[in-house]
Structures are given as structure tokens and as C-alpha cells.
Amino acid sequence: MRTHTGRGRGAVGTVLAKPGRVNANTLVVGGTGLIGREVVASLYARGVVPRVLTRNPGRAARLLPGAWLIQGDLRARSSIRAALEGVRDVLLALPRGFEETRAAAWLVDACEAAGVRRLVLISSVRPDRGDSRLRQALRGVLGRRAAGRRLEARARQSGIETVILRPANLYQRDELHRVELVEGRYPQPLGARGVNRVDARDVGLAGARALLGDLAPGVYPIVGPQAWTGAECAALWSAALGRRVRYVGDNIETWARRVTARLPDTSVEALRDHYRELQRGGGRVDAEDLRRCAEALGRAPIPYARYVASAAGRWLSRPTPYLASDSSGAWR
Ligand SMILES: NC(=O)c1ccc[n+]([C@@H]2O[C@H](COP(=O)([O-])OP(=O)(O)OC[C@H]3O[C@@H](n4cnc5c(N)ncnc54)[C@H](OP(=O)(O)O)[C@@H]3O)[C@@H](O)[C@H]2O)c1
């Protein structure tokens, strides 16, 4: 076990194992999250160990053995400045909703001041593809259209080379509902219009390629091969689990009540809005998005059916201790 002491205030780092070359020039913010963990795994696969900013190094060390952990909080500017010392390439996989705050824009200022050369932003795919022009215009007037784009705009204005990755809905989002799925219900409120979905490992791969300079600056939708309705997702899980799984996601408020204990409040709030958009307009992508995604990945994206088959296989062979998902009777 090796210990690195950061030069700046608040920087502490412990390397627990040595899966590759430590790259002190690379910082992943949000590296312990659903997407960030896949970015770090893809960097490891290329022999690169990045710095990872986390509020909780103890938990992070369990999630990311071998990472160079920098303790810090996005709300504490001094710890961000310390984490950025000597860093050349930064990936931001910020908590959902944070990208709209002033603090997120300040993060770009801090990167500029620290002399960062390349910035990779994990944004999200436009949720307005299925909307009429009138509805898009109305959303623009009401300010909703800007959601998820303020940080992108600030990064583009900066002098930093910027790669923006816009992932679609992640297959791995289903794991939040593992208990319900095993019980025969699919609750993610995807609606009936069709939503493009992608594997988090593909987002991780694109993130690592962007950080390592394999992608030219620009915007890349990170999307899967096709769009899925809630009912179609349920049907796929039915086949993989060998039992009937019903789609029960149309009521977003029921979904929000049920996941409150599993997600931070800010995520539930942001996701509630996101699902409203998806139920209204869907989330389909076009051929150009698929072409740009293949460019970002250097291969075709992983199909949903492959992810579902492998997750169902894992769950069936290693059942979790039984957790009743519902004592109130909702969703039944
Ligand atoms: N998940 C999806 O389906 C999806 C799809 C498309 C786009 N996106 C976008 O991708 C981004 C990342 O999503 P995700 O699902 O990977 O997020 P997540 O799993 O919720 O992870 C959030 C990350 O943010 C860190 N974090 C939270 N508050 C922090 C704070 N105050 N200071 C420092 N770090 C903090 C957490 O680190 P610690 O707890 O270790 O501090 C964690 O690593 C989001 O902006 C989201 O909009 C997500």
C-alpha cells in the first residue's frame, strides 16, 4: 500500500493497490458514481490510475480499490483548488442537478485558473427529441430547455479544450429497482414513447477515451442501439428472469415516493422532471447520434438485451437477502 500526500490543502490520497500507472495529471470528479466508476474502470483497463475526488475516501476505497483518492467537496472551493493542483485533464460527472448551479460554472473557472488543458463533461442526451417545435419553443421561453446546458455553455466559452458526452438513459438505472424486478414489477417511469438507453460501461469507455485524448473536442451523444418503452423493458426482464414482469411506472409520483430512501433528494427531484419529459416526448435519437456515438466508442454500443441477460443471471445465481419492496401495496 502506498500513500500519496497531495500538495494542496485538503488533498489526501491513498493507493491501496497498483492496477497501473498513477496519472497525477488526470482528475475524475464524481468518480465514485454510476458513470464515474465506469470511467475509472476503463482508465484502469488502459493502465491509468487517475485522481478521484470524493467526499468519503473510506467508502470510495471500497468502490475503487487502487484509486488515488482526493478528499474534497464541490461546495468547498478550497478543496477543489487543491484537487486541481498540477492537473491537466479533468472529467466532470457531477451529481444530477448540480450542473445548473453557479458552483458548477465556478468549477470551470477553477479549471481555467489551474491551467487545465482538457475538460470532459458528462452531460445528458437532449430529452426533447420527440417534442413539437412549439413545445420546444415554449420550454425555451420558460427556461426549461436550458436544463443541462448551462455548464456546457460555460465550458465552451472557456479556453479549455472541451469534450461533451451526452449519455442516454443508463441500462444500469434498472438496478435501483432490483427488488421490484425480482418480484415481477418494472417501475422506472420510461413511459410509452420510446427512450434510447445505453450501457454505463460504454459511457465509461467514451469518458476514458476522451480523457486520454482519443476523441477530438466536440459533442458526442453516447447512446444505445435502440429506444425502449417501459413495457418493452419489462418484457425483456420477464424473459431473462423467467417470470412475468409488469410495467408499473406510469405514475411518476408513486415512483418518486418509493425511491426517496434510495436516492438523494436532489436526484429524485431532477429525475422526476426528466421522466416527465420522457413520458411526454420520448427520448429517441437519430442516425447521426448513433454514428457519432460509434466514433466515440470505436465500436458498436452494447445491446440492452445483453446487459439484462447478464444482470438477471447474476441476480438469480446470487440472490440478495430478501427485502420487501413495498409494504403499502402501491404498484401491486
Ligand atoms: N445515471 C444516468 O442514467 C445518467 C444518464 C445520463 C446522464 N447522466 C448524468 O451523469 C452525471 C453523473 O451521473 P451518475 O448517475 O453517475 O451520478 P451518481 O451515481 O449520483 O454519482 C454522483 C457523484 O457525485 C459525487 N458527489 C455528490 N455530491 C458531491 C459533492 N458535494 N462534492 C463532491 N462530489 C460529490 C459523488 O461522490 P462521493 O459520494 O464519493 O463524494 C458521486 O461520485 C449526472 O450529471 C447525470 O445527469 C446520468
Side-chain angles (χ1 to χ4, degrees):
M1 174 162 132
R2 294 189 299 153
T3 303
H4 296 267
T5 308
R7 279 171 293 148
R9 271 177 304 154
V12 286
T14 305
V15 173
L16 303 171
K18 192 170 177 288
R21 164 170 60 90
V22 171
N23 185 341
N25 300 324
T26 306
L27 174 70
V28 178
V29 177
T32 59
L34 193 53
I35 289 178
R37 285 200 300 272
E38 296 298 340
V39 173
V40 174
S42 265
L43 287 170
Y44 278 12
R46 283 158 182 73
V48 173
V49 179
R51 297 188 194 188
V52 173
L53 183 88
T54 176
R55 291 164 299 174
N56 184 342
R59 176 176 165 272
R62 288 190 295 280
L63 290 171
L64 302 171
W68 179 342
L69 303 172
I70 310 284
Q71 186 164 30
D73 192 308
L74 290 165
R75 294 163 301 192
R77 294 188 171 188
S78 59
S79 70
I80 301 300
R81 285 193 202 98
L84 283 169
E85 267 185 47
V87 167
R88 202 182 51 197
D89 307 307
V90 176
L91 181 136
L92 300 179
L94 299 174
R96 204 174 267 275
F98 185 83
E99 68 272 21
E100 289 313 306
T101 62
R102 286 214 189 107
W106 175 83
L107 212 47
V108 179
D109 298 344
C111 287
E112 257 182 333
V116 166
R117 189 195 65 179
R118 175 169 277 239
L119 193 54
V120 181
L121 300 185
I122 305 292
S123 183
S124 47
V125 88
R126 273 196 302 280
D128 47 23
R129 279 293 162 88
D131 273 10
S132 67
R133 278 172 186 258
L134 176 63
R135 183 172 278 158
Q136 287 184 27
L138 277 174
R139 269 222 298 268
V141 170
L142 296 172
R144 298 285 300 280
R145 183 86 194 283
R149 298 290 176 261
R150 235 164 258 164
L151 181 63
E152 288 189 9
R154 173 66 193 94
R156 283 216 196 86
Q157 284 160 5
S158 75
I160 308 173
E161 206 173 273
T162 302
V163 177
I164 296 170
L165 304 178
R166 292 181 178 166
N169 178 276
L170 299 183
Y171 302 157
Q172 283 78 359
R173 269 271 156 241
D174 290 354
E175 290 177 29
L176 184 66
H177 305 297
R178 172 175 173 170
V179 173
E180 289 85 10
L181 276 163
V182 171
E183 288 175 349
R185 287 164 291 155
Y186 184 91
Q188 188 179 192
L190 293 179
R193 306 289 295 255
V195 174
N196 186 280
R197 307 195 65 193
V198 68
D199 198 296
R201 291 167 292 183
D202 285 344
V203 186
L205 172 63
R209 281 168 56 87
L211 269 176
L212 297 177
D214 294 345
L215 302 187
V219 178
Y220 299 85
I222 306 299
V223 297
Q226 70 183 89
W228 297 86
T229 65
E232 286 166 348
C233 294
L236 212 53
W237 280 105
S238 289
L241 291 169
R243 60 173 303 162
R244 180 164 179 253
V245 178
R246 283 182 304 129
Y247 173 61
V248 292
D250 278 340
N251 190 326
I252 296 173
E253 293 313 313
T254 302
W255 171 86
R257 272 198 305 279
R258 300 300 313 283
V259 296
T260 330
R262 305 179 209 176
L263 287 174
D265 290 350
T266 47
S267 290
V268 176
E269 202 45 53
L271 282 167
R272 186 195 260 129
D273 282 352
H274 179 63
Y275 288 129
R276 278 197 200 110
E277 305 276 0
L278 293 181
Q279 290 197 355
R280 244 192 319 252
R284 292 179 184 272
V285 302
D286 58 27
E288 175 59 12
D289 292 333
L290 287 166
R291 190 194 66 73
R292 285 286 282 171
C293 175
E295 202 178 312
L297 299 181
R299 58 158 171 74
I302 299 169
Y304 183 45
R306 195 187 304 162
Y307 159 75
V308 170
S310 107
R314 262 187 290 124
W315 297 357
L316 293 173
S317 65
R318 264 190 294 129
T320 45
Y322 182 75
L323 286 169
S325 64
D326 186 11
S327 50
S328 68
W331 276 347
R332 287 187 190 272

